Amino acid sequence: MEGKKVIITGVPGVGKTTVVNEALKKLQEEGIGYKSINFGTFMFEVARNDKVVENRDQMRTLDRAVQKRLQQRAAQAIAQVSGNVLIDTHASVKTPKGYLAGLPEWVLRELMPDIIVLVETDDDQILMRRLSDDTRSRDKEGARSIAEHQQFNRSMAAAYAMMTGCTIRIITNADFLLERSSTELADVLR
Ligand code: AP5
């Protein structure tokens, strides 16, 4: 049987990976399995083999054509995965030359999601999470710029729904309320 394909998005540092891990733990206890895939990791494997980057945060500064090629190769590889699949990625990527669609037509055609989830929270909470994470090389931007990115992602999600017929679900991952956001995501995935 065909599985469910769910794409999870949100600006860097909003807590996508944290919410996904918690939700999958809940489902595992009920015997519901999902393959959890990080789109950026697939892109990074290709980029590192091609020797165009040394760390994943450099990918968004690559030439647009190179990012497009990496996107395409990642989408083709992920499309081969069968069963219930959860793909952690971005509705849009902030590059030095402007927003790049994370799920353009050539990616959506491969993935054809059932649901796209947008994880959001207050802009200043995201700013604080980024500032306290020294394992990554995060872009330096203020709360207003993060707000613009979250707003832009909603517009992109609307376009993706028009292209594929998928539904869009918005989940708020507020400080100290991880239990609530992961429960909401588990409900979406069931
Ligand atoms: P990716 O690997 O997705 O990196 P990212 O965007 O930086 O996302 P993270 O996984 O680091 O952040 P997160 O939102 O998952 O937050 P986390 O759970 O860690 O992408 C890497 C790169 O790949 C991109 O920059 C791009 O170049 C490329 N890429 C990917 N997809 C692409 C696409 N489709 N097209 C083109 N390029 C693409 O949490 C952050 C912190 O918050 C943690 O410290 C956590 O403990 C804390 N936290 C989380 N939830 C809570 C809470 N409720 N309360 C308090 N603290 C919390």
Side-chain angles (χ1 to χ4, degrees), residues 35-65:
K35 286 168 198 134
S36 175
I37 290 175
N38 186 297
F39 197 97
T41 301
F42 271 73
M43 284 179 61
F44 181 52
E45 290 303 316
V46 178
R48 201 171 39 183
N49 282 339
D50 291 356
K51 298 195 172 28
V52 290
V53 291
E54 283 164 8
N55 72 62
R56 57 200 296 128
D57 288 306
Q58 290 169 343
M59 290 194 293
R60 57 183 174 268
T61 64
L62 290 170
D63 182 73
R64 188 167 58 92

Side-chain angles (χ1 to χ4, degrees), residues 5-10 90-91 103 108 112-120 150-172 184-185 188:
K5 231 172 228 175
V6 180
I7 294 184
I8 183 150
T9 67
H90 293 272
L103 303 167
L108 282 178
M112 284 310 285
D114 299 293
I115 308 170
I116 297 180
V117 177
L118 265 76
V119 180
E120 297 181 347
Q150 293 207 100
Q151 184 57 43
F152 188 75
N153 281 345
R154 285 196 179 196
S155 309
M156 295 303 277
Y160 300 151
M162 293 293 290
M163 285 166 73
T164 61
C166 70
T167 55
I168 304 294
R169 176 66 185 268
I170 297 173
I171 293 180
T172 303
E184 272 188 53
L185 180 61
V188 169

Side-chain angles (χ1 to χ4, degrees), residues 15-18 56 60 71 89-90 102 136 138 173-174:
K16 299 180 294 292
T17 311
T18 308
R56 57 200 296 128
R60 57 183 174 268
Q71 267 181 333
T89 185
H90 293 272
R136 297 289 300 268
R138 305 277 191 200
N173 177 36

Side-chain angles (χ1 to χ4, degrees), residues 17-30 32-37 86 182 185-186 189:
T17 311
T18 308
V19 177
V20 164
N21 291 342
E22 281 300 307
L24 292 184
K25 255 191 250 165
K26 292 180 196 301
L27 294 182
Q28 212 171 12
E29 286 163 12
E30 299 168 24
I32 302 172
Y34 264 85
K35 286 168 198 134
S36 175
I37 290 175
L86 179 55
S182 56
L185 180 61
L189 297 173

